[in-house]
């Protein structure tokens, strides 16, 4: 938690899914209420990177393009004014580890209930479940099908 007299820091996971877009909107609205700032974090890892049996090479991944897409996603979801309140961060690593690490010292971590590749029947996606178990701060899980007032 934030022990100094600085603005509360809200970390939100962004992966382009409807749930993460709802989480981003929620995080910005919450930050506005508490005078906080928002860090939007997207994690990337090369498929097979953690496996000893496959080479950790993906010639198709372009980090600059991924950063541009993250900034574009934030602007699309929030508009220009809302986007100005957000600091975008592209982080290399597994989404759970990246979000838990990014949340160190944060006042809250916000994630969508189901990210990319989530199962329809699952109440929580594996990333949101794992983040809720391991985060160093309070976690808010936002469903995309529930309107934010």
């Amino acid at each position: 938690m934030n022990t100094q007299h600085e603005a509360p820091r809200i970390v939100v996971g962004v992966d382009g899914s409807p749930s993460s877009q709802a989480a981003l909107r929620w995080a910005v609205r919450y930050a506005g209420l508490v005078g906080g700032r928002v860090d939007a974090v997207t994690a990337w890892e090369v498929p097979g990177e953690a496996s000893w049996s496959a080479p950790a090479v993906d010639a198709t991944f372009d980090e600059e393009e991924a950063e541009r897409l993250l900034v574009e996603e934030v602007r699309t979801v929030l508009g220009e004014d809302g986007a100005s309140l957000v600091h975008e961060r592209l982080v290399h690593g597994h989404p759970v580890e990246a979000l838990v690490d990014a949340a160190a010292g944060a006042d809250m971590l916000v994630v969508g209930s189901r990210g990319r590749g989530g199962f329809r029947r699952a109440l929580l996606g594996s990333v949101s479940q794992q983040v809720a178990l391991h985060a160093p701060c309070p976690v808010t899980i936002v469903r995309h099908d529930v309107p934010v007032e």
Side-chain angles (χ1 to χ4, degrees):
M1 291 296 257
N2 210 333
T3 56
Q4 300 170 341
H5 296 292
E6 58 186 52
R9 187 168 67 91
I10 316 306
V11 174
V12 59
V14 176
D15 70 1
S17 68
S19 287
S20 86
Q21 292 172 356
L24 179 59
R25 285 189 291 271
W26 192 96
V28 168
R29 182 166 288 155
Y30 178 77
L33 293 173
V34 299
R37 58 191 180 93
V38 176
D39 287 343
V41 176
T42 293
W44 68 273
E45 60 182 349
V46 176
E49 183 173 24
S51 169
W52 56 268
S53 63
V57 175
D58 184 354
T60 63
F61 186 79
D62 180 339
E63 194 168 347
E64 284 183 22
E65 175 72 1
E67 281 187 30
R68 187 188 65 73
L69 289 172
L70 171 58
V71 169
E72 190 176 289
E73 172 85 1
V74 169
R75 281 191 172 73
T76 300
V77 172
L78 301 174
E80 214 47 59
D81 289 345
S84 68
L85 306 172
V86 176
H87 172 72
E88 297 93 352
R89 289 178 52 200
L90 182 67
V91 179
H92 177 246
H94 186 275
V96 173
E97 292 169 13
L99 290 171
V100 168
D101 288 350
D107 294 84
M108 182 172 292
L109 174 58
V110 183
V111 292
S113 61
R114 188 171 54 235
R116 290 186 177 273
F119 295 102
R120 254 185 221 290
R121 290 186 204 91
L123 176 62
L124 298 177
S126 61
V127 170
S128 56
Q129 272 183 320
Q130 291 301 309
V131 163
L133 290 172
H134 300 290
C137 63
V139 175
T140 297
I141 299 172
V142 179
R143 288 179 41 185
H144 77 279
D145 54 352
V146 177
V148 178
E149 292 299 325

